[in-house]
Every structure is written in C-alpha cells, then in structure tokens.
Amino acid sequence: KVERSHRTDADEFYRRATFTTRAELCRLLADWEREYNRERPHLALHGKTPTERLCELRIRHPQLVRLSA
C-alpha cells in the first residue's frame, strides 16, 4: 500500500507540479493532500474518501485506529 501511495504521489503530484520555492511546494503539497484525502472518492474504498473511511473505522472499531502524536 505504501509503495502504491508513493507511485500515486509521483504520478499525480510530483511529475505535474511546478514550483520554484519551498513555500510554494509546501502550499501545493497541502492542496494535493487535502484533495486526495478529503475530496476525491477512491474506488478501493467503494467511492468514499480516505477521511470518510477513517471516520467509519473510528466509530465502529476505535481500538483499531492508532493516533500518532
């Protein structure tokens, strides 16, 4: 899953994004992360966003969700 995620990031962000400063990269990357995780439905999640799926897991199985500090 991690390798697939890296491939998606490369294909859909890093190969398409154009930036000249670190600040610009950070802004574009934050926009990409928001779109990918909160706005874009995923076929593997049956049309849900990763954020929607995580919320479902927290409600149904809170013991399975680890929160990083």
Side-chain angles (χ1 to χ4, degrees):
K1 290 182 182 182
V2 172
E3 289 177 9
R4 179 65 177 111
S5 173
H6 287 285
R7 188 172 124 201
T8 299
D9 291 341
D11 290 346
E12 297 185 22
F13 177 75
Y14 290 107
R15 290 188 183 125
R16 295 179 184 183
T18 304
F19 50 89
T20 56
T21 65
R22 180 182 166 105
E24 190 176 11
L25 168 62
C26 290
R27 182 184 56 78
L28 292 171
L29 188 55
D31 290 346
W32 161 246
E33 289 174 342
R34 184 188 64 252
E35 177 187 339
Y36 186 86
N37 289 312
R38 297 182 181 193
E39 298 171 7
R40 177 175 138 172
H42 293 247
L43 289 175
L45 300 176
H46 305 288
K48 296 179 180 150
T49 67
T51 300
E52 289 170 330
R53 182 65 179 128
L54 180 60
C55 288
E56 286 178 352
L57 288 173
R58 285 183 177 165
I59 291 167
R60 292 185 193 152
H61 307 287
Q63 70 279 9
L64 298 178
V65 179
R66 285 188 182 163
L67 297 176
S68 58

